[in-house]
Amino acid sequence: MDTYFVTGGSGFIGSNFIQLIHESILDANIINLDKLTYAGNPANLSKIENSDRYHFVKGDICDAAIIAKIFDDYKPTFIVNFAAESHVDRSITGPGEFIQTNIVGTYTLLNESLNYYTDLTDEDKKRFRFHHVSTDEVYGSLGDKGYFTEHTSYDPSSPYSASKASSDHLVRAWHRTFGLPVLITNCSNNYGPYQFPEKLIPLMILNCLDGKSLPVYGTGENVRDWLYVEDHCEAILHVVKMGTVGETYNIGGNNEIRNLEIVETICDLLDEIKPCGDGKTYRELITFVKDRPGHDFRYAIDATKIKNELGWYPKHTFKTGIRDTINWYLENDTWWEFIRSGEYRQYYKAQYES
Ligand code: NAD
Ligand code: TYD
């Protein structure tokens, strides 16, 4: 029986990953360590919260004692680190938390993982993996041509991407210097169910439904390579199970799209599925606003390595993924209304601090 120690599992990608493990590996045990910041929401895992294979621990990845206790109590086979401050705009207005969680937190996890790993039997050492989930933003910005490969030099632009780049370097150092069996994945922009409504796609869907303006930064020409979250989670599982220790794998969706086209697509699909009703179109809500400082122009992933070595490739096209995502938000209004009202913060504070 494998035990997965997941950090940041109450966030967007972590909760999708935990649900995938729970559904697809029927004898797997899962421990979720999450600080429950504004982005962490236990409701993302309400479907499995009573499962005897799922264990939640509220805590910080900067807290060595709590990490040591989890290692001691549960003896995990794998650790998968999702915990992070993840929003670029917040890293511009308040970088401190990004330095603390993304850099100091990853360092603390590495140190405690090494303590645990050192005392494992030779047999258990062969299986243990420290998997670090990172971003393509560490590579900086592309022009109109070219792709990020695993050999592209790091050149981060924002406090967020610089903090993730630092964490990747620490993870590699703990492998090269101390022999910790690590894996790193760098993926492109994710979208899908349970994404916090501050990121482009859910923000635009919910603003449409509220009749609010749709703020497109600059001219909307910036390009991202969109990856459906379910595809990403399957890729991580491939790497945890089959990846070569010490290696990095890029994960992308083969879906390069300009921001303005994303927003227009959401508007057009909502016009079809849930029209405004007053003869207007959602595109009328589009508003061009001041550009983000240091805004990277284009991200695009070359995912040849993971395809050739591990047989993974994205199954969702943007056309199907975006329709499924819009339908998910339409069907799960209680989930996002709870977040948008701010009530979830008070509710979980009371629940986990009593
Ligand atoms: P998210 O913001 O939705 O979730 C982050 C989770 O981490 C939350 O549950 C939060 O409570 C928890 N957390 C934050 N600080 C913590 C701390 N100090 N200790 C314990 N838990 C803490 O983020 P996400 O979009 O799910 O991203 C997950 C990971 O994937 C991050 O490492 C991010 O850098 C990476 N990533 C995300 C994307 C994307 O498009 N969302 C793309 C590439 C890489
Ligand atoms: P975001 O979802 O914040 O992801 P990232 O910055 O990590 O790529 O933004 C995706 C793109 O959308 C990015 O180019 C910035 C742009 N954007 C807007 O134009 N308006 C918005 O309100 C937001 C949140 C993002």
Side-chain angles (χ1 to χ4, degrees):
M1 180 196 263
D2 289 339
T3 297
Y4 290 76
F5 174 5
V6 175
T7 70
S10 302
F12 164 46
I13 307 173
S15 60
N16 276 282
F17 181 74
I18 287 178
Q19 291 193 53
L20 173 71
I21 301 287
H22 192 264
E23 278 162 26
S24 64
I25 311 177
L26 295 180
D27 62 352
N29 248 325
I30 304 157
I31 298 95
N32 172 18
L33 171 66
D34 198 297
K35 188 179 171 184
L36 300 185
T37 67
Y38 78 94
N41 183 357
N44 296 2
L45 289 162
S46 56
K47 282 189 200 147
I48 65 159
E49 67 189 357
N50 295 321
S51 164
D52 56 6
R53 296 192 286 119
Y54 172 67
H55 313 273
F56 176 71
V57 180
K58 182 178 182 299
D60 193 329
I61 59 164
C62 300
D63 180 345
I66 214 164
I67 299 164
K69 182 162 172 22
I70 291 173
F71 277 125
D72 212 38
D73 288 352
Y74 294 101
K75 312 270 183 283
T77 330
F78 311 114
I79 174 161
V80 186
N81 181 29
F82 292 95
E85 287 294 333
S86 69
H87 192 45
V88 173
D89 292 328
R90 284 179 191 256
S91 82
I92 297 168
T93 50
E97 286 291 309
F98 289 72
I99 305 305
Q100 189 60 23
T101 287
N102 299 1
I103 306 177
V104 179
T106 303
Y107 155 74
T108 311
L109 270 182
L110 285 164
N111 245 355
E112 292 311 313
S113 299
L114 185 61
N115 286 339
Y116 169 72
Y117 175 74
T118 306
D119 292 338
L120 288 177
T121 62
D122 287 347
E123 202 51 41
D124 288 341
K125 275 191 171 131
K126 277 190 208 141
R127 303 197 62 219
F128 182 76
R129 296 288 182 271
F130 182 106
H131 184 115
H132 181 61
V133 179
S134 192
T135 168
D136 59 356
E137 301 190 25
V138 298
Y139 299 124
S141 183
L142 290 167
D144 285 323
K145 294 210 171 80
Y147 295 91
F148 297 135
T149 74
E150 289 77 2
H151 300 291
T152 304
S153 301
Y154 277 31
D155 187 19
S157 304
S158 69
Y160 164 67
S161 52
S163 67
K164 291 297 288 187
S166 309
S167 66
D168 293 7
H169 291 319
L170 290 173
V171 173
R172 274 190 204 98
W174 257 247
H175 173 61
R176 293 182 193 164
T177 306
F178 305 114
L180 189 70
V182 308
L183 298 155
I184 299 178
T185 47
N186 295 84
C187 72
S188 56
N189 288 61
N190 283 220
Y191 70 106
Y194 302 104
Q195 186 164 33
F196 194 83
E198 63 184 353
K199 302 274 172 28
L200 180 72
I201 288 180
L203 180 79
M204 296 298 162
I205 298 171
L206 300 193
N207 278 14
C208 281
L209 297 178
D210 285 346
K212 290 188 183 159
S213 69
L214 308 177
V216 174
Y217 298 165
T219 58
E221 292 299 307
N222 304 62
V223 175
R224 299 291 183 264
D225 171 3
W226 293 93
L227 173 65
Y228 196 64
V229 65
E230 208 175 279
D231 280 330
H232 181 202
C233 293
E234 279 174 5
I236 293 173
L237 201 50
H238 272 68
V239 176
V240 169
K241 291 278 179 154
M242 299 184 286
T244 303
V245 166
E247 291 287 308
T248 289
Y249 297 86
N250 280 355
I251 307 170
N254 294 335
N255 282 309
E256 272 189 64
I257 308 175
R258 287 181 303 120
N259 290 343
L260 183 57
E261 196 182 326
I262 297 278
V263 178
E264 288 173 345
T265 304
I266 291 169
C267 291
D268 296 350
L269 281 169
L270 278 172
D271 281 339
E272 178 199 317
I273 305 169
K274 197 173 172 35
C276 303
D278 51 7
K280 294 190 169 166
T281 64
Y282 289 108
R283 283 192 189 211
E284 290 169 49
L285 297 171
I286 294 175
T287 314
F288 293 93
V289 299
K290 194 168 177 287
D291 209 353
R292 172 189 279 172
H295 196 176
D296 287 334
F297 174 62
R298 175 172 164 258
Y299 303 141
I301 287 267
D302 176 347
T304 309
K305 177 175 173 180
I306 188 170
K307 184 169 181 222
N308 288 351
E309 293 187 13
L310 308 182
W312 176 89
Y313 59 91
K315 307 236 168 49
H316 291 82
T317 61
F318 190 73
K319 197 163 182 256
T320 58
I322 191 65
R323 189 178 276 276
D324 290 349
T325 302
I326 290 173
N327 282 327
W328 188 86
Y329 280 86
L330 287 173
E331 283 158 16
N332 288 275
D333 50 345
T334 46
W335 178 87
W336 53 261
E337 273 164 6
F338 200 39
I339 293 176
R340 281 213 142 181
S341 68
E343 279 172 50
Y344 78 111
R345 301 285 297 142
Q346 296 311 321
Y347 177 81
Y348 290 118
K349 202 164 187 287
Q351 188 169 336
Y352 289 102
E353 285 175 12
S354 58

